[in-house]
Amino acid sequence: MAQSEPLYQRIAAGLREQIRTGQIKAGERLPTEQDLMADHGVSRNTVRLALGMLQNEGMVTSTPGRGTIVRERIMADYHATWAESRDRRASDQADAFQSEMAEQGRHAEYRDFAMSLEVAGPDFSKRLQVAEGEPVVSRGFIRYADNQPLSLQTSYYPMDIAREAGLVVPNDVAGGAIRAMAAVGHEEIGYRDEITARMPTPDEARKLQLGSGTPVIIYARTTFSDKRPLRLTLTTFASDRNRVIYELGDMRAYLAQEDADA
Amino acid sequence: MAQSEPLYQRIAAGLREQIRTGQIKAGERLPTEQDLMADHGVSRNTVRLALGMLQNEGMVTSTPGRGTIVRERIMADYHATWAESRDRRASDQADAFQSEMAEQGRHAEYRDFAMSLEVAGPDFSKRLQVAEGEPVVSRGFIRYADNQPLSLQTSYYPMDIAREAGLVVPNDVAGGAIRAMAAVGHEEIGYRDEITARMPTPDEARKLQLGSGTPVIIYARTTFSDKRPLRLTLTTFASDRNRVIYELGDMRAYLAQEDADA
DNA sequence: CGAAATTTGTGCGTATGTATA
DNA sequence: TTATACATACGCACAAATTTC
């Protein structure tokens, strides 16, 4: 006899397979806990361990009274290569996002705009070349599409640059922060992007309305003039609703293929 | 009295705070389940719900007999901008990785190399412009550093190109697959990278030796000649051990800062 | 609209197995 | 070997949210 894996893992594997093969489709209900208890002849505790696995994998969500439902994922693309360099009209880095969502027929907006002064921790200090303990200017907001939160974004600026560019104000800057900096001689000519992922903090989970098994993508862009770092932008993406896209080099073959599809 | 959150969440929050503030450091043991039961006057079940939260957040790992321990994390950088275009000597896309790890004084290697023919699913079909159901050539391996798995990588090639370039062999190709394709007229001149994150499947978790709360970063690179897609490379990174890095534009300020640090 | 039934969430207790120190 | 500590599994009760009638 094969060394048997735990009961709850077997039950989870069975449900996972039913979802993968489409026997249970996105949006549909799984059998209730009672059903699963009866089907497998196990205690409720064991059934809940199995369902807990699927929740932690982000495959299902459970709601009291409703049941356990297979999640569906929709994807918004964040084009890192040109998100900040096209149609920069409205707000800080609030730019290509709205035009891209509009193309997809979705309503994009920014909420909870906030400006504050923060003390540079080791992270900011190193990347912005600011002494630890010095103040930096933080400007952030939340991106929404169709009333659903997509990502949290906060940009940090060295104090002297923020002052020169007129960024130390508690509201949006006409034309965007990037242009405001460029206008006073701080032009962004280099970018370093660092991307990783982790599970969200409870605060992030609340703001992004994340299901329990959904990680966040952490996207950190540091920009440079020819002399120094100008800006550190931290974006926290809900990973079930976002992809980050880079296009490099000669894309004529890709573009031709896209046209053919349309 | 504030609307009380569930007991197990309160207990988890307390432990989270002790870890964040450094009262319990990486590598150290949390109080045992028995201790936590006594401290908070709750049942073991409740204590385990709290510890389960921390595990799902990737903060701790539990081992029978040993206890529950705060995880420590090491980071390897994957330089997407030039990982495939520098020092391409050894294997398929096995290139800059080894030289970079060597610079950090770590031992890099590739294991479990495998070639197989697969039927194109909807994903491959669309991106490689191959009819669904057609065979594609798959070549994959696992990256290790200091005996620890970092990422799973599999590349898919359209059958005709793989044949021309001599990739339909169950072993490494001298000089790398990219050169082999270029040598027969299929030169990569464009790249589209798609990055997202999700929780691992049990299989991925096993191969990457992931703790239960660790997501994976899914990195999909499609490359193009001037005419058509050449290759789809799917990389699954353990998110607690990897970052993906892009450097764009003029980085002279960043490089100067790096030199100064060293 | 309100009441009842359904379904998951939280919490208790207990027992046995298994890996580690 | 023994003790410790987590893993798995059983049972029960009540609360909270949703759907159904």
Side-chain angles (χ1 to χ4, degrees):
Chain A
M1 170 168 22
Q3 151 66 6
S4 65
E5 73 184 333
L7 260 177
Y8 75 96
Q9 290 183 25
R10 283 200 69 78
I11 296 171
L15 293 169
R16 208 180 282 116
E17 191 61 13
Q18 287 189 282
I19 293 168
R20 197 187 61 79
T21 61
Q23 284 176 57
I24 310 176
K25 297 189 184 67
E28 289 181 2
R29 275 187 25 171
L30 263 57
T32 68
E33 295 180 354
Q34 290 299 331
D35 290 343
L36 291 169
M37 286 168 69
D39 292 352
H40 297 89
V42 298
S43 74
R44 183 158 175 237
N45 218 315
T46 304
V47 165
R48 283 183 64 76
L49 281 176
L51 294 175
M53 281 194 85
L54 300 186
Q55 283 189 46
N56 290 335
E57 289 161 19
M59 301 189 72
V60 304
T61 50
S62 298
T63 326
R66 182 179 305 170
T68 300
I69 285 160
V70 179
R71 285 245 285 264
E72 38 200 332
R73 23 180 74 200
I74 46 161
M75 277 292 170
D77 290 348
Y78 183 85
H79 287 273
T81 330
W82 35 267
E84 296 180 340
S85 57
R86 193 179 79 162
D87 280 315
R88 192 178 312 109
R89 293 203 191 89
S91 60
D92 274 56
Q93 283 82 44
D95 32 71
F97 171 58
Q98 288 187 319
S99 54
E100 191 173 349
M101 286 295 108
E103 280 170 26
Q104 295 178 28
R106 299 216 256 162
H107 174 63
E109 56 182 333
Y110 300 88
R111 294 189 200 162
D112 301 326
F113 182 87
M115 188 278 295
S116 67
L117 300 185
E118 292 184 24
V119 169
D123 245 39
F124 306 155
S125 153
K126 192 183 166 198
R127 283 190 259 225
L128 285 180
Q129 292 288 94
V130 166
E132 217 167 313
E134 287 293 301
V136 295
V137 175
S138 133
R139 300 169 59 84
F141 55 82
I142 305 180
R143 277 197 194 86
Y144 281 78
D146 291 346
N147 244 24
Q148 206 178 26
L150 288 186
S151 56
L152 316 174
Q153 182 164 315
T154 308
S155 295
Y156 301 88
Y157 306 87
M159 190 50 121
D160 61 318
I161 292 180
R163 266 198 224 285
E164 285 181 57
L167 298 179
V168 195
V169 291
N171 50 48
D172 224 344
V173 175
I178 299 167
R179 281 194 187 167
M181 288 195 295
V184 292
H186 300 293
E187 198 187 353
E188 300 186 339
I189 59 172
Y191 305 88
R192 179 185 163 89
D193 293 353
E194 301 173 359
I195 301 171
T196 187
R198 57 167 169 74
M199 293 312 284
T201 64
D203 183 60
E204 289 167 336
R206 187 177 48 76
K207 285 180 180 159
L208 290 173
Q209 294 173 27
L210 294 173
S212 94
T214 311
V216 289
I217 303 166
I218 305 296
Y219 168 74
R221 162 164 285 194
T222 313
T223 68
F224 300 87
S225 69
D226 57 344
K227 296 189 185 62
R228 56 181 286 196
L230 295 182
R231 159 173 74 99
L232 168 62
T233 296
L234 288 181
T235 309
T236 304
F237 291 102
S239 69
D240 62 346
R241 305 196 270 275
N242 290 97
R243 290 189 301 189
V244 179
I245 311 274
Y246 286 84
E247 291 178 358
L248 307 171
D250 183 335
M251 297 297 291
R252 86 185 82 159
Y254 174 74
L255 296 171
Q257 156 183 337
E258 245 197 347
D259 289 346
D261 287 353
Chain B
M1 174 164 26
Q3 152 65 4
S4 65
E5 71 184 336
L7 258 177
Y8 74 95
Q9 290 183 23
R10 283 200 67 78
I11 295 171
L15 292 169
R16 209 181 282 116
E17 191 59 15
Q18 288 189 281
I19 293 168
R20 198 187 60 78
T21 60
Q23 284 176 56
I24 310 176
K25 297 191 183 64
E28 287 182 3
R29 272 186 28 170
L30 263 56
T32 68
E33 294 181 353
Q34 291 300 330
D35 290 343
L36 292 169
M37 287 168 69
D39 291 352
H40 298 88
V42 298
S43 75
R44 180 151 179 244
N45 218 316
T46 304
V47 164
R48 282 182 65 74
L49 282 175
L51 294 175
M53 281 194 83
L54 301 186
Q55 283 188 47
N56 290 334
E57 289 161 19
M59 300 190 73
V60 304
T61 50
S62 296
T63 326
R66 182 180 305 168
T68 300
I69 284 159
V70 179
R71 285 245 286 265
E72 39 200 329
R73 31 184 67 197
I74 46 159
M75 275 292 170
D77 289 347
Y78 183 84
H79 287 271
T81 333
W82 35 267
E84 297 180 340
S85 58
R86 192 179 81 164
D87 280 315
R88 192 178 311 110
R89 294 205 190 89
S91 59
D92 273 58
Q93 284 81 45
D95 33 71
F97 171 59
Q98 288 187 319
S99 54
E100 190 173 348
M101 285 297 108
E103 280 170 25
Q104 294 179 28
R106 301 215 251 160
H107 176 62
E109 56 181 334
Y110 300 87
R111 294 191 200 161
D112 300 325
F113 182 87
M115 188 278 295
S116 67
L117 300 185
E118 293 184 25
V119 169
D123 244 39
F124 306 158
S125 153
K126 193 183 166 199
R127 284 190 260 226
L128 284 181
Q129 292 288 94
V130 166
E132 216 167 313
E134 288 293 300
V136 295
V137 175
S138 132
R139 301 170 57 83
F141 56 81
I142 305 181
R143 279 198 192 87
Y144 281 78
D146 291 347
N147 243 24
Q148 205 176 26
L150 288 186
S151 56
L152 316 174
Q153 181 163 316
T154 308
S155 295
Y156 301 88
Y157 306 87
M159 190 50 123
D160 62 318
I161 292 179
R163 266 198 225 287
E164 285 182 57
L167 298 180
V168 195
V169 291
N171 50 47
D172 224 343
V173 174
I178 299 168
R179 281 194 186 168
M181 289 194 295
V184 293
H186 299 293
E187 197 186 352
E188 300 186 339
I189 60 173
Y191 306 89
R192 180 186 162 89
D193 293 353
E194 302 173 357
I195 301 171
T196 186
R198 57 167 169 74
M199 292 312 285
T201 64
D203 183 60
E204 290 168 336
R206 187 178 48 76
K207 284 180 180 158
L208 289 174
Q209 295 173 26
L210 294 174
S212 94
T214 310
V216 289
I217 302 166
I218 306 296
Y219 169 75
R221 161 164 287 192
T222 314
T223 68
F224 299 87
S225 70
D226 56 344
K227 296 189 185 61
R228 56 182 287 197
L230 296 181
R231 157 172 75 98
L232 168 61
T233 296
L234 288 181
T235 308
T236 304
F237 290 102
S239 70
D240 61 345
R241 307 196 268 275
N242 290 96
R243 290 188 302 186
V244 178
I245 310 273
Y246 285 84
E247 292 178 357
L248 307 170
D250 183 334
M251 296 297 291
R252 89 185 78 157
Y254 173 73
L255 295 171
Q257 154 184 339
E258 244 197 347
D259 290 346
D261 287 353

